[in-house]
Amino acid sequence: SRGKTILKSTMVTLPPPPPAIKEKSVSVNLYFSDPHSDYLVMESRRVAWRVGDTKDQIRVIIAELIKGPEGDLFQTIPSQVIMRDIKLTGKGLGIINFSKELSHNHPGGSLAEMHTVYSIVNSLLLNIPSLNQIQILVEGKPPETLKGHIDCRSPFKANLSIIETG
């Protein structure tokens, strides 16, 4: 039996497959500009996201904000913006890296800039309980401002005073 190789059969036990991540349909509150006031107005929307996956939840909310409002509110993020990356710290800080269009294609003005920042921050923090601050990056760096008005070098907390309540 020269030249023949005998293979021994061995049983290999594979680990069980990871449990499927469950997608769940939830209602989220997004915040867009009110064309008739200086406030952000809440718009509820049904979305599907992965339960317990904070990055997926951030991705879904930002994608909906970029799509814009369904009613007669104003979009707060230029539609050409790309979300490049999401990082999470263990301390409830979400760091979101946007493409340069967040600044370059922004219409400008202090109110519009404030609405962009707090549309992002409030939509995330008021829907995702594990987050308590949001840092906005543009092309990997905290911008001094988006368009000359709101200091973006530090993380933001939710701002409820800018939301229309009535």
Side-chain angles (χ1 to χ4, degrees), residues 64-139:
E64 292 298 319
L65 288 174
I66 291 171
K67 277 185 202 169
E70 293 172 347
D72 60 354
L73 300 172
F74 284 171
Q75 187 155 357
T76 53
I77 300 177
S79 59
Q80 309 82 359
V81 169
I82 297 165
M83 185 177 46
R84 298 213 184 279
D85 190 31
I86 301 165
K87 289 191 174 79
L88 302 171
T89 72
K91 297 183 171 82
L93 172 64
I95 303 166
I96 300 148
N97 185 17
F98 292 96
S99 63
K100 66 185 180 297
E101 288 79 12
L102 188 65
S103 298
H104 290 222
N105 296 6
H106 196 279
S110 56
L111 184 65
E113 196 171 323
M114 186 164 55
H115 281 186
T116 296
V117 167
Y118 286 106
S119 167
I120 294 166
V121 172
N122 288 350
S123 294
L124 293 171
L125 296 182
L126 301 179
N127 284 295
I128 305 174
S130 62
L131 294 175
N132 56 41
Q133 290 188 94
I134 297 297
Q135 175 72 59
I136 295 171
L137 304 180
V138 174
E139 297 298 341

